[in-house]
Amino acid sequence: MEVQNTKAQFKIDWKIKNFEELSPKKGQLLSSPTFVIDDLHRSHWVLHLYPYGDNDGNGQYTALYLVRKSDDDYPEDIVLDCQLSFETPEKTIAIPWKTTSIDWKTTNHTFQNGGRCGSQEFIEKEKIALYLEHGSLNVRCVVFQHGIDGSKSGGCAAVSLIGNDQRYFEWIIEDFQDLQPGDKKVVPIKSASKDALSMTMTLSMTSENILMVGISPIDGKRMKRALCSLKTLKGPNFVCCGKDEIWFNEIKSEQNWSFPLLYSKEGLLDEQISSSLHLGCYLKFFLGIEFEKIEYTYYKPVSDQKNESCGIM
């Protein structure tokens, strides 16, 4: 029997929640959950997004690729048409300088195991903000294969969550006026989600009388980047007395971070009402993709308009 529709379609909607929390670093890769296309020989696929450019680019553009994973069992090449896009929130479509979507297309691309297609210059990185909805980015990939019964078309919706951990605490350092070069004041910080030590914070003085803050996260391997801001009371107002940012080295098993305060001991004691130092400590850790899953999968005839959308929430 002759197949009437010989162009099968599979659509992937990938929502990246908390995308606006992502750190701006060239070469940083976001990978979608792996999806399996049953009617393409149960081949395994993934989307790769480099929001601030891949390592080979100039850092001015976002890169986006569809990748065939090398671990599926089908040994032969797969030839597909592919379209990659960012979906624009409906409420912005009426604004003239915003388009409904941005996309990249190719036809008859040959995917070997581990092969990919896409664009190193998909969109200027500064324009990504135009495609965010409540801090989330919606990425879509549609693939077509010719010569296959179109009634086998389908799709899936995936979600990834960019994690961050924020905490604020007050640290009262008793007898701060007695701190001498080589001395250290240490405060342990417990996790809010479990009864375990999360990190330690240290205040010390160098031989040059510089006050240094040290932070040692216990679970630093999860952390990609961190911000720290310290404030103290000077006169009637709280002022920033220290601030720093760090990218953690994922190769190292221990992550240590230190930076100097903006004031000397005498400068901090100048307007304190006691010999103690009262610090307000704010920390924010960026964890990369903290959670991901395929939320929804469907199969439908191409003519079934009711199920055209993946229904991603």
Side-chain angles (χ1 to χ4, degrees):
M1 177 178 179
E2 182 180 358
V3 177
Q4 298 298 319
N5 189 338
T6 60
K7 190 176 181 181
Q9 170 186 301
F10 193 88
K11 179 168 63 177
I12 304 98
D13 280 330
W14 176 31
K15 171 172 273 192
I16 307 170
K17 295 184 177 181
N18 289 347
F19 183 87
E20 60 187 357
E21 298 285 357
L22 192 66
S23 307
K25 184 180 182 182
K26 180 184 176 183
Q28 183 172 202
L29 168 64
L30 295 182
S31 182
S32 75
T34 298
F35 50 94
V36 179
I37 304 181
D38 286 339
D39 293 315
L40 291 180
H41 318 287
R42 291 200 53 80
S43 51
H44 295 198
W45 303 81
V46 70
L47 294 172
H48 281 177
L49 175 66
Y50 296 86
Y52 299 94
D54 60 22
N55 288 321
D56 297 327
N58 59 17
Q60 301 303 311
Y61 292 87
T62 291
L64 178 61
Y65 303 98
L66 171 66
V67 181
R68 180 185 173 191
K69 300 190 71 175
S70 57
D71 58 359
D72 64 48
D73 296 329
Y74 187 67
E76 298 181 20
D77 296 345
I78 297 177
V79 180
L80 297 174
D81 297 349
C82 175
Q83 177 177 328
L84 300 169
S85 62
F86 287 170
E87 298 303 303
T88 305
E90 290 184 7
K91 63 183 180 181
T92 67
I93 292 176
I95 301 176
W97 46 270
K98 291 186 179 181
T99 57
T100 57
S101 66
I102 181 169
D103 57 39
W104 175 92
K105 300 177 183 179
T106 188
T107 58
N108 295 321
H109 184 86
T110 300
F111 287 89
Q112 299 175 333
N113 279 327
R116 72 178 187 179
C117 76
S119 175
Q120 190 178 67
E121 298 183 354
F122 182 76
I123 184 177
E124 295 177 49
K125 63 181 183 181
E126 290 81 5
K127 294 183 179 180
I128 296 179
L130 304 180
Y131 295 88
L132 298 185
E133 183 175 22
H134 305 300
S136 298
L137 179 68
N138 294 312
V139 182
R140 175 168 290 177
C141 174
V142 182
V143 296
F144 299 92
Q145 187 176 45
H146 298 269
I148 293 182
D149 183 357
S151 66
K152 295 181 178 180
S153 296
C156 70
V159 62
S160 296
L161 175 68
I162 304 295
N164 67 74
D165 178 4
Q166 301 180 60
R167 58 189 70 185
Y168 177 84
F169 60 94
E170 296 182 349
W171 183 15
I172 299 175
I173 302 173
E174 305 288 353
D175 300 323
F176 173 69
Q177 66 176 11
D178 298 329
L179 190 70
Q180 299 297 319
D183 291 347
K184 291 184 178 181
K185 301 288 186 179
V186 181
V187 59
I189 305 167
K190 280 193 171 184
S191 170
S193 61
K194 54 185 178 182
D195 188 19
L197 186 64
S198 173
M199 67 184 68
T200 58
M201 181 178 281
T202 303
L203 179 69
S204 61
M205 182 183 289
T206 69
S207 58
E208 293 81 18
N209 295 323
I210 298 173
L211 293 172
M212 297 291 297
V213 171
I215 301 172
S216 299
I218 305 302
D219 54 354
K221 275 203 161 184
R222 293 176 58 237
M223 300 174 184
K224 310 298 182 184
R225 183 172 70 105
L227 302 171
C228 178
S229 179
L230 306 171
K231 64 181 182 180
T232 191
L233 189 66
K234 284 183 70 64
N237 301 314
F238 280 95
V239 298
C240 178
C241 62
K243 190 173 184 179
D244 198 37
E245 177 179 353
I246 187 175
W247 282 92
F248 288 116
N249 188 335
E250 298 178 8
I251 299 176
K252 294 183 178 180
S253 58
E254 294 185 5
Q255 305 286 357
N256 295 304
W257 172 25
S258 63
F259 57 92
L261 290 187
L262 302 176
Y263 297 91
S264 65
K265 184 177 80 170
E266 291 73 20
L268 289 174
L269 283 170
D270 191 27
E271 300 185 55
Q272 298 290 319
I273 60 176
S274 70
S275 62
S276 299
L277 176 64
H278 190 157
L279 290 177
C281 308
Y282 171 75
L283 289 161
K284 186 172 185 177
F285 296 95
F286 298 88
L287 309 175
I289 291 184
E290 184 73 356
F291 169 83
E292 62 177 10
K293 72 172 182 176
I294 300 290
E295 288 192 319
Y296 178 61
T297 303
Y298 68 92
Y299 299 94
K300 66 175 184 65
V302 171
S303 59
D304 184 358
Q305 298 300 319
K306 294 181 180 179
N307 294 325
E308 185 174 350
S309 169
C310 283
I312 193 166
M313 301 300 290

